[in-house]
Amino acid sequence: MPYIECLRVFTRVVELGSITSGGRDLRLTPAVASKRIKELEARLGVRLFNRTTRSIIPTEVGQLFYQEAKNVLASLDTAEAVVANYSDRPRGVIRVAAPLGVGRRIIAPLVPEFVAEYPETEVQMRLSDRAVDLMSERMDVAFFVGVPKESNLKLRQIAEVERVLVAAPEYIANHGRPTGPQDLLKNHNCLLLRYPRSPEYFWQLQTDAGLRKLEVTGRFDADDSDVLTDWALAGHGIANKPRFDVAVHLASGDLVEVMADTPPAPSLFGCLYPHRKLQDPKTRAFVDFMTERSQARLGL
């Protein structure tokens, strides 16, 4: 269906701001993506983009066409969901987003099992610790660890994830073991997970008086949670991590738990997916499968 592919390439180029990014998102080379745009412009008889050496911007008619093309593609997705529900056979591409830690250690190992059980499906994963806009980025399912923003998306709660404060024995030897929240604030380097437009940063610890919010500080921050683990392993500070994310390092002794009597508050592990009257069987099957198998991997 070359015309439908042209529409999909066109809409992703508009949304992502470049032919290279739009093509990559659809697993097409820049040359093929550029050819699809030219084919669409030739069919319509109009220029859809203004091109410069540094940018590609929709023309006025291109912006108008984009709004209608989105509606056409949404209608096509709905029509395909109708047919899929009659057969109740999961098939097609499932686009999945997940944070790095849970994506690598929980979700990704289960993907081959899912595809083996549903051989007519294909899973495309994106791993990132930044917040994902599921609708604008056209993801089918987005996993999270934490507190999701309020939205009209459907939420599936999978598990409550225990968190721990960890540091390397080398760090403890050089800086001492933190004795409580105030000591943590005044005398220790906290390793911080930050990304563009991230909310205010704090840790919540469970104390005898209830949850205590600590506005922790540190000399290092990153938007990749695995980088924080690497820094902790190298003796550079204290990290606040889901236990499953550092379990192997705790077992080996490369990291040790600190302040076990006032641990971080647990996080919700779950996923979000579009709230549709007619849910595509592949999305429903994927969410059900990952919920059950993830709980088993977490020992629940």
Side-chain angles (χ1 to χ4, degrees):
M1 298 187 293
Y3 184 62
I4 296 301
E5 184 176 271
C6 288
L7 291 182
R8 294 197 187 280
V9 172
F10 167 70
T11 58
R12 290 311 279 158
V13 169
V14 172
E15 290 161 355
L16 298 177
S18 79
I19 288 177
T20 299
S21 297
R24 184 187 300 120
D25 187 70
L26 296 169
R27 296 190 173 183
L28 301 174
T29 66
V32 171
S34 180
K35 180 181 179 181
R36 294 293 178 261
I37 295 296
K38 290 176 181 177
E39 290 172 350
L40 188 59
E41 289 179 325
R43 177 185 175 111
L44 298 173
V46 297
R47 180 181 291 276
L48 295 171
F49 292 100
N50 289 320
R51 299 167 175 84
T52 69
T53 56
R54 294 187 176 182
S55 65
I56 180 167
I57 302 171
T59 61
E60 181 179 359
V61 68
Q63 192 60 49
L64 292 172
F65 185 70
Y66 166 71
Q67 299 300 328
E68 298 303 324
K70 280 203 310 180
N71 294 335
V72 168
L73 293 173
S75 296
L76 180 61
D77 289 342
T78 299
E80 290 180 344
V82 170
V83 174
N85 271 277
Y86 269 101
S87 66
D88 201 30
R89 186 174 62 189
R91 61 188 303 172
V93 176
I94 308 168
R95 296 161 61 88
V96 181
L100 291 166
V102 73
R104 287 172 175 160
R105 281 170 271 286
I106 302 295
I107 304 302
L110 295 172
V111 166
E113 296 179 27
F114 175 81
V115 175
E117 187 164 328
Y118 300 102
E120 294 183 75
T121 62
E122 175 184 339
V123 177
Q124 297 178 1
M125 283 194 70
R126 286 188 188 169
L127 302 184
S128 174
D129 282 323
R130 68 174 177 81
V132 173
D133 187 330
L134 189 143
M135 299 306 292
S136 68
E137 298 183 45
R138 297 192 183 179
M139 309 306 292
D140 295 302
V141 183
F143 292 90
F144 66 88
V145 176
V147 181
K149 291 182 179 179
E150 298 229 352
S151 70
N152 59 356
L153 299 171
K154 292 194 74 171
L155 167 66
R156 173 72 67 89
Q157 298 186 26
I158 297 175
E160 194 173 70
V161 176
E162 183 183 0
R163 301 188 72 93
V164 291
L165 299 182
V166 295
E170 176 188 355
Y171 178 87
I172 300 299
N174 291 333
H175 302 275
R177 184 182 291 267
T179 57
Q182 285 306 118
D183 186 29
L184 185 69
L185 289 173
K186 292 180 179 180
N187 302 313
H188 291 276
N189 188 47
C190 297
L191 304 173
L192 311 178
L193 180 66
R194 294 187 189 274
Y195 47 86
R197 297 182 300 279
S198 61
E200 62 172 321
Y201 198 88
F202 60 89
W203 290 353
Q204 285 198 95
L205 302 188
Q206 302 178 80
T207 71
D208 292 338
L211 285 180
R212 179 173 176 183
K213 178 179 174 180
L214 294 185
E215 295 182 358
V216 294
T217 59
R219 296 187 299 278
F220 309 143
D221 68 64
D223 64 355
D224 181 330
S225 62
D226 281 353
V227 169
L228 303 190
T229 302
D230 291 341
W231 283 339
L233 287 166
H236 296 307
I238 297 174
N240 179 345
K241 303 286 293 185
R243 185 177 288 277
F244 74 79
D245 213 6
V246 291
V248 64
H249 303 303
L250 289 170
S252 68
D254 292 330
L255 291 175
V256 296
E257 184 175 356
V258 300
M259 293 176 54
D261 55 340
T262 55
S267 294
L268 175 64
F269 168 39
C271 66
L272 298 167
Y273 53 100
H275 197 302
R276 297 190 178 114
K277 183 177 181 180
L278 191 63
Q279 191 66 56
D280 192 322
K282 69 176 185 291
T283 301
R284 184 172 62 246
F286 186 81
V287 170
D288 290 344
F289 182 95
M290 288 297 164
T291 297
E292 179 182 345
R293 300 299 175 89
S294 295
Q295 290 172 342
R297 287 182 70 87
L298 291 168
L300 302 176

